[in-house]
């Protein structure tokens, strides 16, 4: 019976997976009002919410694991920006905390909202093919890490509200992305230190995916893997 349930869940995951590009949709006014109510409930009063920030990611060619060139298509990602000010016109350059997620930005952005009271901007971005962002989602795909590194090195530092310093925050999948993207971020040629990325805060990321997640004790973790694939596809 467990095998039948597992196979059914995998089939659902495959059918639901966004194999083709999806149309990006902005968050609605109702969702914006819900976010503001959540921030107020957390006691965060002085904040400006920019609900839909379009982040254009250009096409890029990389060398894949087979040593062959592979083009990563251009895409529009969407993010939500919180600034620690009551004045929407206040673009004082501040450091920015970035969270990239496959679990929908409107659902997870408040996890990092406490950073606002310490003077940080908070930017939460839907990964390619998830939430509002265009493209197709493939778990832990290198294109996802390149997207995140582009946001760190090019998009955020180019904004008037940014002082060029970026940190990343998040748990589980959002923590794993931090490690994988950090290795792709630009570095100072003289010191070897990242140019814009100043800190990461990965919470409960996997250190050994085989033993921790995929195969506990050598047995395939069919319940969790099937459930995770189906739920994440539903969210996408």
């Amino acid at each position: 019976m467990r095998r039948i349930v597992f196979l059914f869940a995998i089939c659902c995951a495959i059918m639901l997976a966004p194999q083709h590009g999806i149309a990006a949709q902005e968050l609605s006014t109702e969702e914006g009002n819900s976010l503001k109510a959540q921030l107020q409930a957390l006691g965060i009063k002085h904040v400006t919410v920019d609900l839909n920030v379009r982040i254009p990611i250009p096409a890029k060619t990389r060398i894949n694991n087979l040593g062959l060139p592979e083009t990563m298509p251009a895409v529009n990602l969407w993010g939500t920006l919180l600034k620690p000010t009551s004045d929407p016109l206040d673009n004082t350059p501040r450091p920015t905390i970035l969270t990239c997620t496959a679990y929908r930005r409107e659902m997870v952005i408040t996890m990092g909202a406490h950073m606002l009271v310490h003077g940080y901007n908070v930017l939460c971005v839907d990964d390619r093919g998830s939430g509002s962002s265009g493209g197709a989602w493939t778990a832990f795909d290198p294109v996802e890490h390149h997207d995140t590194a582009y946001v760190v090195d090019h998009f955020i530092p180019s904004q008037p509200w940014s002082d060029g310093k970026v940190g990343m925050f998040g748990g589980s999948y959002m923590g794993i992305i931090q490690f994988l993207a950090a290795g792709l971020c630009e570095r100072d040629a003289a010191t070897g230190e990242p140019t814009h990325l100043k800190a990461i805060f990965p919470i409960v990321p996997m250190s050994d995916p085989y033993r921790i997640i995929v195969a506990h004790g050598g047995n395939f973790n069919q319940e969790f893997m099937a459930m995770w694939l189906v739920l994440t596809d539903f969210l996408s």
Side-chain angles (χ1 to χ4, degrees):
M1 182 64 184
R2 290 174 62 189
R3 187 179 298 275
I4 294 174
V5 172
F6 166 67
L7 292 175
F8 174 74
I10 289 295
C11 289
C12 289
I14 294 172
M15 290 186 293
L16 290 168
Q19 299 296 326
H20 303 287
I22 59 173
Q25 297 179 346
E26 299 181 28
L27 298 182
S28 66
T29 302
E30 290 76 15
E31 288 165 316
N33 291 335
S34 174
L35 173 57
K36 292 175 182 177
Q38 293 177 57
L39 293 171
Q40 290 179 354
L42 292 171
I44 301 174
K45 301 177 181 180
H46 304 292
V47 58
T48 292
V49 178
D50 192 344
L51 192 62
N52 294 294
V53 177
R54 186 175 71 90
I55 305 172
I57 305 292
K60 181 175 181 178
T61 300
R62 74 177 188 93
I63 302 301
N64 63 22
N65 292 334
L66 299 176
L68 301 174
E70 178 182 302
T71 299
M72 299 180 291
V75 72
N76 283 326
L77 304 184
W78 288 89
T80 294
L81 173 68
L82 307 179
K83 295 189 295 184
T85 174
S86 300
D87 182 3
L89 299 179
D90 181 359
N91 275 330
T92 300
R94 300 180 176 92
T96 301
I97 305 300
L98 170 67
T99 297
C100 289
T101 183
Y103 303 141
R104 304 194 71 93
R105 55 194 159 105
E106 67 270 30
M107 295 177 62
V108 304
I109 190 171
T110 54
M111 293 181 181
H114 60 283
M115 305 285 189
L116 292 164
V117 300
H118 299 290
Y120 294 94
N121 298 318
V122 174
L123 176 65
C124 192
V125 178
D126 285 326
D127 289 332
R128 181 184 296 243
S130 72
S132 301
S133 293
W137 178 72
T138 306
F140 304 116
D141 192 79
V143 68
E144 186 174 78
H145 318 143
H146 282 276
D147 287 346
T148 303
Y150 182 89
V151 175
V152 170
D153 288 326
H154 300 283
F155 179 77
I156 292 178
S158 69
Q159 303 306 304
W161 37 262
S162 167
D163 68 356
K165 297 177 182 177
V166 182
M168 288 194 286
F169 173 85
S172 192
Y173 195 100
M174 296 171 281
I176 297 165
I177 289 175
Q178 295 176 52
F179 281 121
L180 297 173
L184 298 173
C185 288
E186 294 180 353
R187 295 177 179 274
D188 182 276
T191 65
E193 296 180 356
T195 306
H196 298 287
L197 183 63
K198 302 304 178 183
I200 62 175
F201 197 141
I203 305 168
V204 293
M206 61 185 181
S207 58
D208 185 336
Y210 179 80
R211 290 181 174 84
I212 294 175
I213 297 178
V214 178
H216 291 292
N219 295 313
F220 181 64
N221 190 355
Q222 58 190 32
E223 290 87 357
F224 173 79
M225 292 303 297
M227 176 189 69
W228 179 75
L229 282 170
V230 171
L231 290 178
T232 305
D233 283 336
F234 267 123
L235 288 174
S236 296

